[in-house]
Amino acid sequence: MAEHEDWLRTEVGAATPDRITVAGRDLPTEIMGELSLTELAFLLVTRREPSPAERRLVDAVLVSLADHGLTPSALAARLTYTGAPEATQAAIAAGLLGAGSVFLGPAGDTAQFLVEALARHDGVDVSDPAALRPIAEEAVTARRAAGLRVPGLGHPLHRAGDPRVPRLYDIARAEGLLGPHLRLLELVAEVHAEQTGRELPINGAGAGGAAMVEVGVPPGSVRPFVLIARTAGLVAHLAEEAEHPLGVPLWQEVERRSAGGAGAESG
Amino acid sequence: MAEHEDWLRTEVGAATPDRITVAGRDLPTEIMGELSLTELAFLLVTRREPSPAERRLVDAVLVSLADHGLTPSALAARLTYTGAPEATQAAIAAGLLGAGSVFLGPAGDTAQFLVEALARHDGVDVSDPAALRPIAEEAVTARRAAGLRVPGLGHPLHRAGDPRVPRLYDIARAEGLLGPHLRLLELVAEVHAEQTGRELPINGAGAGGAAMVEVGVPPGSVRPFVLIARTAGLVAHLAEEAEHPLGVPLWQEVERRSAGGAGAESG
Amino acid sequence: MAEHEDWLRTEVGAATPDRITVAGRDLPTEIMGELSLTELAFLLVTRREPSPAERRLVDAVLVSLADHGLTPSALAARLTYTGAPEATQAAIAAGLLGAGSVFLGPAGDTAQFLVEALARHDGVDVSDPAALRPIAEEAVTARRAAGLRVPGLGHPLHRAGDPRVPRLYDIARAEGLLGPHLRLLELVAEVHAEQTGRELPINGAGAGGAAMVEVGVPPGSVRPFVLIARTAGLVAHLAEEAEHPLGVPLWQEVERRSAGGAGAESG
Amino acid sequence: MAEHEDWLRTEVGAATPDRITVAGRDLPTEIMGELSLTELAFLLVTRREPSPAERRLVDAVLVSLADHGLTPSALAARLTYTGAPEATQAAIAAGLLGAGSVFLGPAGDTAQFLVEALARHDGVDVSDPAALRPIAEEAVTARRAAGLRVPGLGHPLHRAGDPRVPRLYDIARAEGLLGPHLRLLELVAEVHAEQTGRELPINGAGAGGAAMVEVGVPPGSVRPFVLIARTAGLVAHLAEEAEHPLGVPLWQEVERRSAGGAGAESG
């Protein structure tokens, strides 16, 4: 029909009075009761269902990034709830907004970095570890020459190693999914330590990003994809904040201890 | 230890240099590879793992609310991406911010309405359909007397019935989870039609909210919980927007057709 | 021209290749260099320029609500900046998202409450203080009977009186703008104290909301209007956070003192 | 007092039970009734009051960027209001979130670019036009060599010239504020045209960013500072959306014309 216009085409979902399709499938009969949320999310961004192995690895990545305690993201969500408890969507959004270059964003940055490094060596047999080593060297060297950090390495808290990382590699190995992206990231960490003399172990976001592109998630979708998981963590923080609030006491303590302005004068 | 302060206690997650716990469990060994994201989200808000039946019903609710086409929420996310493609977390957040009283929020409103209606009849045997009918009557009457809409009924597009609803009831029935909240919502729709003479079928958000409280999700967590699903839909919209953008052409068409200001004068 | 469609009409602004109009005026020649931001904001929502007296009162309201120290709103913005320093728009947005029923939102709630109270007594001579007193009584009584708080009264910190309030009333009086909304709010505080036996002085948000409707800002625009001012405060917090960050040390201290999960075990 | 801790120091604002200070001044007596919002915002980020000339130029920048019609930003805010009309702060936030690398963000990018270009030539007499020309050449060349766009040039709509730009330069000249940043930007446009053979006139965001650093706003504060102005435009869009909504009809038309999924099949 002439009125259907290609620039408004979407493959994500559509609704008519009597039908809803998502990812081109009939939502009630082909998705509800058939797919988990993780499977649907995977289907939506890769346009195919994950294998059981892929689903297990993707779920492992998602649960590994869902929560990390009273992080800046969780605190921002809880402090937003303090002011607007009736608008929980705003508190969730506030908690997601800090997923940038410092927190969570590195999952996507690592994904992009690995995909680009491999793309520059298109004909190489990536199943050969000896072939990956020069790719890692070139990628680390180029990054450092440009004055940029190598993404996916180091963590402010888990300095001696991030406990999520060996477990994620174990799961990938057990599922037959320890492919070139995950292996390249290991070599990147090794090369980085050799070049700089400073051990920076792979962090959880980096390993997660590598695993996501390993199973075919486009690198540009990695950052938003892990936000699905972080939303789950934030839901739990808001449930707890409703019962056992820290927003007001935290504010009051910060104000009391703040050295600036009238606080100091009247202290 | 004195320094650990109760007002800063959290049961959601915590991290030390060598350990990360989420929901009181060791994240690498007890959650990664063991639980799906849906299971972890359920565990975090209810403090127990879902049974297989509960997991299937919760996943059915989540996938049913993940996407509904080029909705205001999807458009807001895509238009935000147009201006800030480097900050995908901002586009996701923009897409979630409209989950209020009109869209998606009704899942939580319905959950709250049903829980409160049942709570006012605490000793009643809710497994007896005859006992639920007066609860539905009272709840609908009270709501209408206060000039408020009955939540969970009617949909601007699916006027003759929302195709997600019978499927969700079928899954709940098949899994042995067709409990008092879901049954009360059916009676509410029936009573509402009798009282007003106007059929307003149960909508997908309402049925989803009823199902969530049926399995033990606290009503205040329903609205944020369904945002986990909507985030998945938005990830797909952003992936598509990156490849096949509608933001700029939509803006240009709107401006061209807008009747106001300079547009009209120079048209 | 047929293509210009009324449902896409906007009076806010429009742009063509060679012309930009805002509020129906030519932006370069009739607004730039001619109006302050406050004047333009007022013009946009009331469709007329403020008098000098109105402009002074509106600016007084705006500056009074721009900042209040290290509030939950400022902390949420700064903690968001911690994670995404490259996306300052996200940090500003996070800081605004908590402007709900508890913080800042009460400016709009008070505005709505006063406008509705006066609207129920349409023929009354509101310049007569004796005529306003029963309106205050009725409004407070109705609100309390419905189990709702009276908006605009009380402040968690400024318990004995909010220092912004007498100053705002002084400015309104000096400018000849102490009209029925501001006077009704004083009577509401008086009646509330009489009915409850508890002094709850007018707070800064409440007085600001009353002043905004006094000069003709529609009550529904009061909440978003004061966000213009709060944005200014947040810009300053982000500038300071960039130079002298509190995000990371605050996170680290909260984690260290948190009583939950792994923190407690390894403390 | 020992408890006041330097890492929690803020110069923005502080509150005690009987006092509120903002920018180190007593809010009721030294700011309310004394400063406009623009003046306070300037004071907060530069730590001094603007001169009347500076205030006029800053207000001209702000009003020039407050609104630009039914832009992606305005549409995102209005579509968010469609779903959550009770949470206007969420709609404002959604409208700001797209202020990134494509829209509005270029004001800050231009500011940064100009400040860095001048900083590389520290001893140069910037009042001498002949001295600025090689700085422009170097800056444009370096940018193009790095494969980056030169910020502040070109506009998708105002291809032959942005009507805000000559007016802003006229105001700066009239106020004696046509300094090295604004003049350098003119030379950058000239050099860019010579090097590329393609005229890209200065755009409104770029000129605004140059003007902001000219008067002493730190370049990192330019992007958030102009959001104060955009918030004002969004307030007006929400007021209009409440009276004359385009959210639902726009959604419906998009869905109807969308070529994808069920829409196409049932069309």
Side-chain angles (χ1 to χ4, degrees):
Chain A
M1 186 177 165
E3 223 174 345
H4 292 141
E5 293 168 35
D6 192 60
W7 67 276
L8 284 171
R9 169 185 296 280
T10 179
E11 306 293 336
V12 183
T16 60
D18 57 358
R19 196 160 182 222
I20 305 172
T21 51
V22 173
R25 301 182 183 198
D26 183 59
L27 175 61
T29 62
E30 297 178 311
I31 297 177
M32 289 172 69
E34 304 299 316
L35 299 184
S36 71
L37 179 64
T38 301
E39 289 167 326
L40 175 61
F42 187 95
L43 171 63
L44 279 166
V45 300
T46 67
R47 310 215 172 156
R48 65 178 179 82
E49 280 187 39
S51 68
E54 288 169 333
R55 186 194 57 212
R56 184 163 177 251
L57 185 61
V58 171
D59 265 323
V61 172
L62 292 178
V63 300
S64 80
L65 299 174
D67 191 67
H68 206 257
L70 292 171
T71 53
S73 153
L75 293 172
R78 294 174 81 134
L79 289 157
T80 300
Y81 181 88
T82 301
E86 72 287 355
T88 44
Q89 77 276 24
I92 296 286
L96 297 180
L97 285 171
S101 61
V102 178
F103 294 128
L104 277 180
D109 298 339
T110 306
Q112 199 79 51
F113 168 74
L114 297 169
V115 166
E116 286 171 7
L118 289 169
R120 279 193 298 271
H121 297 265
D122 215 8
V124 170
D125 174 9
V126 292
S127 68
D128 174 8
L132 282 175
R133 171 83 197 194
I135 299 178
E137 282 167 6
E138 185 189 293
V140 172
T141 303
R143 196 87 182 174
R144 295 181 62 228
L148 297 171
R149 293 191 54 181
V150 174
L153 305 184
H155 193 283
L157 180 62
H158 308 298
R159 291 176 187 279
D162 186 319
R164 296 168 290 191
V165 175
R167 175 64 170 151
L168 197 65
Y169 274 84
D170 284 349
I171 294 168
R173 191 176 299 112
E175 299 294 348
L177 292 167
L178 192 52
H181 301 88
L182 282 162
R183 285 187 288 109
L184 179 61
L185 182 57
E186 289 183 307
L187 293 167
V188 161
E190 205 175 290
V191 167
H192 182 271
E194 287 167 18
Q195 287 193 5
T196 64
R198 198 171 145 230
E199 295 273 347
L200 281 188
I202 297 171
N203 58 40
M212 295 295 265
V213 286
E214 203 73 280
V215 297
V217 172
S221 288
V222 170
R223 187 194 287 195
F225 203 115
V226 302
L227 297 184
I228 305 171
R230 183 49 57 102
T231 303
L234 293 171
V235 174
H237 279 288
L238 296 187
E240 191 174 73
E241 184 69 17
E243 280 182 23
H244 186 75
L246 65 76
V248 166
L250 180 61
W251 165 39
Q252 289 175 336
E253 183 178 322
V254 165
E255 277 288 9
R256 189 174 50 75
R257 289 167 57 192
S258 170
E265 291 160 29
S266 65
Chain B
M1 186 176 163
E3 224 175 345
H4 292 140
E5 291 169 35
D6 192 58
W7 68 277
L8 284 171
R9 170 185 296 281
T10 179
E11 307 292 336
V12 184
T16 60
D18 57 358
R19 197 160 182 221
I20 305 171
T21 52
V22 173
R25 300 181 183 199
D26 183 60
L27 174 60
T29 61
E30 297 178 311
I31 297 177
M32 290 172 68
E34 305 300 316
L35 299 184
S36 72
L37 179 65
T38 301
E39 289 166 326
L40 175 61
F42 187 94
L43 171 64
L44 278 167
V45 300
T46 67
R47 309 215 172 157
R48 66 179 177 82
E49 281 187 37
S51 69
E54 289 168 332
R55 187 193 58 212
R56 185 165 176 248
L57 185 60
V58 171
D59 266 323
V61 172
L62 293 178
V63 300
S64 79
L65 299 174
D67 192 67
H68 206 256
L70 293 171
T71 53
S73 154
L75 293 172
R78 293 174 82 133
L79 289 158
T80 300
Y81 182 89
T82 302
E86 72 288 355
T88 43
Q89 77 275 24
I92 295 285
L96 297 180
L97 284 171
S101 61
V102 178
F103 294 127
L104 276 180
D109 299 339
T110 307
Q112 198 79 51
F113 168 74
L114 297 170
V115 166
E116 285 171 8
L118 289 169
R120 279 193 296 271
H121 296 265
D122 214 7
V124 170
D125 174 11
V126 291
S127 67
D128 174 8
L132 282 175
R133 172 83 197 193
I135 299 179
E137 282 166 6
E138 185 189 293
V140 171
T141 304
R143 195 89 182 173
R144 295 181 63 228
L148 297 170
R149 294 190 52 181
V150 175
L153 306 184
H155 192 284
L157 180 62
H158 309 297
R159 291 176 188 280
D162 185 321
R164 296 168 291 192
V165 175
R167 175 64 171 150
L168 196 66
Y169 273 85
D170 285 348
I171 294 169
R173 191 175 300 110
E175 299 293 349
L177 293 167
L178 193 52
H181 301 88
L182 282 162
R183 284 187 290 108
L184 180 59
L185 183 57
E186 289 183 307
L187 294 166
V188 161
E190 206 175 287
V191 168
H192 182 271
E194 288 167 17
Q195 288 194 5
T196 64
R198 199 172 145 229
E199 295 273 347
L200 281 187
I202 298 172
N203 58 40
M212 294 295 264
V213 286
E214 203 73 281
V215 297
V217 172
S221 288
V222 169
R223 186 194 287 195
F225 204 116
V226 302
L227 297 184
I228 305 172
R230 182 50 56 105
T231 303
L234 293 171
V235 173
H237 278 288
L238 296 187
E240 191 174 73
E241 183 69 17
E243 281 183 22
H244 186 73
L246 66 75
V248 167
L250 180 62
W251 165 39
Q252 289 175 338
E253 183 177 323
V254 166
E255 278 287 9
R256 189 173 51 75
R257 290 166 58 192
S258 171
E265 290 160 30
S266 66
Chain C
M1 186 178 165
E3 224 175 341
H4 292 141
E5 293 168 34
D6 193 58
W7 68 277
L8 283 172
R9 169 185 297 280
T10 179
E11 306 294 335
V12 184
T16 59
D18 57 358
R19 195 159 183 222
I20 305 171
T21 51
V22 173
R25 301 181 183 199
D26 183 60
L27 174 60
T29 60
E30 297 177 312
I31 297 177
M32 290 173 69
E34 305 300 316
L35 299 184
S36 72
L37 179 65
T38 301
E39 290 167 325
L40 174 62
F42 187 95
L43 170 64
L44 278 167
V45 300
T46 66
R47 309 214 172 157
R48 65 177 179 83
E49 281 187 39
S51 69
E54 289 168 333
R55 186 194 58 212
R56 184 162 176 250
L57 186 61
V58 171
D59 265 323
V61 172
L62 292 178
V63 299
S64 80
L65 298 173
D67 191 68
H68 206 256
L70 293 170
T71 54
S73 153
L75 292 172
R78 293 175 82 136
L79 289 158
T80 300
Y81 181 88
T82 302
E86 72 288 355
T88 42
Q89 77 277 24
I92 295 285
L96 297 180
L97 285 171
S101 61
V102 179
F103 294 127
L104 277 179
D109 299 338
T110 306
Q112 199 78 51
F113 168 74
L114 297 171
V115 166
E116 286 170 7
L118 289 169
R120 279 193 297 270
H121 296 266
D122 216 6
V124 171
D125 174 9
V126 291
S127 67
D128 174 8
L132 283 176
R133 172 82 196 195
I135 299 178
E137 280 167 8
E138 184 189 295
V140 171
T141 302
R143 194 88 181 174
R144 294 182 63 227
L148 297 170
R149 293 190 54 180
V150 175
L153 305 184
H155 192 283
L157 179 63
H158 308 298
R159 292 176 188 280
D162 186 320
R164 295 168 291 192
V165 174
R167 174 65 170 150
L168 198 65
Y169 274 85
D170 284 349
I171 294 169
R173 191 175 300 111
E175 300 293 348
L177 293 167
L178 192 53
H181 301 88
L182 282 161
R183 285 187 289 109
L184 179 61
L185 182 57
E186 289 183 308
L187 293 167
V188 161
E190 204 175 289
V191 167
H192 182 270
E194 287 167 17
Q195 287 193 5
T196 65
R198 199 172 145 229
E199 295 272 348
L200 280 187
I202 298 171
N203 58 40
M212 295 296 265
V213 286
E214 202 74 279
V215 297
V217 172
S221 288
V222 169
R223 187 194 287 196
F225 204 115
V226 302
L227 297 184
I228 305 171
R230 183 49 57 103
T231 303
L234 293 171
V235 173
H237 278 288
L238 296 187
E240 191 174 73
E241 184 69 17
E243 281 182 22
H244 185 76
L246 65 76
V248 167
L250 180 62
W251 166 38
Q252 289 177 336
E253 184 178 322
V254 166
E255 277 288 8
R256 190 174 49 75
R257 290 167 56 192
S258 170
E265 290 160 30
S266 65
Chain D
M1 187 177 163
E3 224 175 343
H4 292 140
E5 292 168 34
D6 193 58
W7 67 276
L8 284 171
R9 170 185 296 281
T10 179
E11 307 293 336
V12 183
T16 60
D18 57 358
R19 197 161 181 220
I20 305 171
T21 52
V22 173
R25 301 181 183 199
D26 183 59
L27 174 61
T29 60
E30 296 177 311
I31 298 178
M32 291 173 68
E34 305 298 317
L35 299 184
S36 72
L37 179 65
T38 301
E39 289 167 326
L40 175 62
F42 187 94
L43 171 63
L44 279 166
V45 299
T46 66
R47 310 214 171 156
R48 66 178 178 83
E49 280 186 39
S51 68
E54 288 168 334
R55 188 193 56 213
R56 184 162 178 251
L57 185 60
V58 171
D59 266 323
V61 172
L62 293 178
V63 300
S64 79
L65 298 174
D67 192 66
H68 205 256
L70 293 170
T71 54
S73 154
L75 292 172
R78 293 174 82 135
L79 289 158
T80 300
Y81 182 89
T82 301
E86 73 288 356
T88 43
Q89 78 275 24
I92 296 285
L96 297 180
L97 285 171
S101 61
V102 178
F103 294 127
L104 276 181
D109 298 339
T110 306
Q112 198 78 52
F113 168 74
L114 297 171
V115 165
E116 286 171 7
L118 289 169
R120 278 193 297 271
H121 296 265
D122 215 8
V124 170
D125 174 9
V126 292
S127 67
D128 174 9
L132 282 175
R133 172 84 197 194
I135 299 178
E137 282 166 6
E138 185 189 293
V140 171
T141 303
R143 196 89 181 174
R144 296 181 61 228
L148 297 171
R149 294 190 53 179
V150 174
L153 305 185
H155 192 284
L157 180 62
H158 309 298
R159 290 176 188 281
D162 185 320
R164 296 168 290 191
V165 174
R167 175 63 171 151
L168 197 65
Y169 274 84
D170 284 349
I171 294 170
R173 191 175 299 108
E175 299 293 349
L177 292 167
L178 192 52
H181 301 88
L182 283 162
R183 285 187 290 107
L184 180 60
L185 183 57
E186 289 182 307
L187 293 167
V188 161
E190 204 175 290
V191 167
H192 182 271
E194 287 167 17
Q195 288 193 5
T196 65
R198 200 173 144 227
E199 295 273 347
L200 281 187
I202 297 172
N203 58 40
M212 294 295 263
V213 286
E214 203 73 280
V215 297
V217 173
S221 288
V222 170
R223 187 194 287 193
F225 203 115
V226 302
L227 297 184
I228 305 172
R230 182 50 56 104
T231 304
L234 293 170
V235 173
H237 278 288
L238 297 187
E240 190 175 74
E241 184 68 18
E243 280 181 23
H244 187 73
L246 64 77
V248 167
L250 180 62
W251 165 40
Q252 289 175 336
E253 183 178 323
V254 166
E255 277 289 9
R256 191 173 49 75
R257 290 166 57 192
S258 171
E265 291 160 29
S266 65

